[in-house]
Amino acid sequence: MKEIGFEERKKLQLDILKEIDSFCRANNITYYLAFGTLLGAIRHKGYIPWDDDIDIMMPRKDYVKLLELYPSDGRYRFLTSHNTKNFPYAFGKVIDTLTIKNEAIRPKYQMIGLDIDIFPIDNYPDDIDEAKSWSQDIKSLQDKMHHLMAQHAKGRNIQRTIVRNVLISFRHLIDDMGICTVSRYVGCIEALSQRYNEKQTNYCGIVSLATYGIKKRNRKEVYASAVDVDFEGNKFLAPAGYDEYLKDVYGDYMQLPPIEKRKTHHSNKVYWK
């Protein structure tokens, strides 16, 4: 198989984003650029130079609508735990079916294809301490799920490597036997993420991913409307309150990080089929 290089990967992911943008606009589905993709759009008008992924987010009702309407027979597929066996995430991915992505997780849970992440936006509780506790509960579930997905690996210390791999084998066994499974944890995270959706709250955000913790909790006014922003020579949607969103997540987001931190946080390889 031919490996796909860094720049070509970014172009392919941009093609996925263009497809999703077109589909969402045609079907009245609200979405916004998220995380580093939104930061890149505002600070660099495109990818963060050392980054290599694309994230978008959408209100839960639009996430469900996309799942219901998106075609299942084209080059791009919208995968979630509701339509894909062994899907190991409480959010969705749109993949390019002409590619294969190898990640540092068990083969059983590798989702075939270069992808972009799609995160549902759910309600957060107004009480900050309650929100922090709830966020920590989701992180605990996610950590346990990741333990079940871990691959065997070699380390510098032989004894620690043996102990770690024995524990990994045990976790694989209880997962494969159905005693404690990744799918169960995904279901728990999805249910927990929607706990406050039937309540009137003043805050919302991406709940189903533990990364950034409580920083993902934003005032609902942030998402009151959408605006077009530039990204790699194209126009995509961002929340009108993107400045507040980015400050919540990153602080002084226009300040570049130190040179030693300017590197991708992913460790996967992608190939053409």
Side-chain angles (χ1 to χ4, degrees):
M1 294 184 295
K2 181 182 178 182
E3 184 173 356
I4 300 173
F6 184 77
E7 293 302 324
E8 189 176 9
R9 286 176 59 163
K10 293 199 294 184
K11 180 183 180 301
L12 291 171
Q13 287 173 145
L14 182 61
D15 288 341
I16 299 175
L17 180 58
K18 290 178 183 177
E19 159 67 19
I20 296 303
D21 170 75
S22 177
F23 186 87
C24 287
R25 291 181 192 258
N27 290 278
N28 196 29
I29 295 173
T30 299
Y31 83 90
Y32 314 100
L33 302 184
F35 295 132
T37 309
L38 179 55
L39 174 58
I42 303 305
R43 194 171 68 192
H44 305 276
K45 296 190 181 299
Y47 280 102
I48 296 173
W50 52 90
D51 201 6
D52 64 348
D53 70 339
I54 289 179
D55 299 319
I56 67 174
M57 55 186 170
M58 56 183 59
R60 175 68 70 170
K61 64 180 179 61
D62 293 280
Y63 180 87
V64 172
K65 185 176 180 180
L66 180 65
L67 179 59
E68 292 174 346
L69 297 181
Y70 200 74
S72 60
D73 57 354
R75 172 174 176 175
Y76 303 116
R77 306 282 177 83
F78 181 32
L79 308 184
T80 75
S81 64
H82 299 280
N83 63 10
T84 305
K85 184 179 179 181
N86 292 327
F87 191 80
Y89 307 101
F91 51 88
K93 290 178 176 287
V94 175
I95 70 164
D96 182 341
T97 60
L98 299 183
T99 64
I100 296 175
K101 184 169 76 169
N102 290 333
E103 300 186 86
I105 57 177
R106 293 177 66 190
K108 177 179 179 179
Y109 296 111
Q110 304 228 14
M111 297 297 106
I112 294 176
L114 184 67
D115 62 81
I116 69 172
D117 292 329
I118 301 185
F119 298 100
I121 298 171
D122 296 300
N123 283 352
Y124 267 89
D126 289 338
D127 183 84
I128 187 63
D129 291 329
E130 184 178 358
K132 286 180 179 178
S133 176
W134 181 50
S135 184
Q136 185 58 44
D137 289 343
I138 290 174
K139 182 180 185 306
S140 178
L141 289 171
Q142 186 173 293
D143 288 345
K144 292 175 181 177
M145 181 180 73
H146 287 166
H147 288 158
L148 297 177
M149 294 162 56
Q151 284 185 317
H152 294 97
K154 294 180 180 180
R156 295 181 180 179
N157 185 296
I158 296 177
Q159 290 182 327
R160 289 182 181 178
T161 298
I162 292 173
V163 171
R164 179 180 183 276
N165 285 335
V166 167
L167 287 173
I168 287 174
S169 293
F170 174 73
R171 289 166 180 155
H172 289 183
L173 179 62
I174 63 174
D175 177 47
D176 291 339
M177 293 179 65
I179 298 171
C180 186
T181 68
V182 167
S183 295
R184 177 186 172 190
Y185 281 123
V186 169
C188 288
I189 293 171
E190 287 186 335
L192 193 57
S193 296
Q194 299 176 67
R195 171 181 286 178
Y196 296 91
N197 283 358
E198 300 304 317
K199 299 181 180 181
Q200 293 296 322
T201 71
N202 295 307
Y203 293 86
C204 65
I206 296 171
V207 181
S208 55
L209 180 73
T211 307
Y212 299 111
I214 201 67
K215 292 180 180 180
K216 305 188 305 299
R217 176 178 176 265
N218 321 115
R219 295 186 310 125
K220 285 189 174 178
E221 285 84 350
V222 167
Y223 304 96
S225 59
V227 295
D228 280 313
V229 294
D230 294 320
F231 187 90
E232 298 296 333
N234 300 272
K235 296 287 188 181
F236 298 109
L237 295 176
Y242 64 78
D243 179 66
E244 183 173 336
Y245 171 89
L246 291 171
K247 286 178 178 175
D248 285 344
V249 178
Y250 299 106
D252 184 7
Y253 63 88
M254 294 302 287
Q255 181 68 38
L256 291 173
I259 293 177
E260 64 272 14
K261 292 187 177 181
R262 298 179 193 178
K263 54 186 178 182
T264 179
H265 56 280
H266 297 100
S267 58
N268 53 61
K269 292 187 176 183
V270 182
Y271 306 87
W272 289 110
K273 281 189 176 179

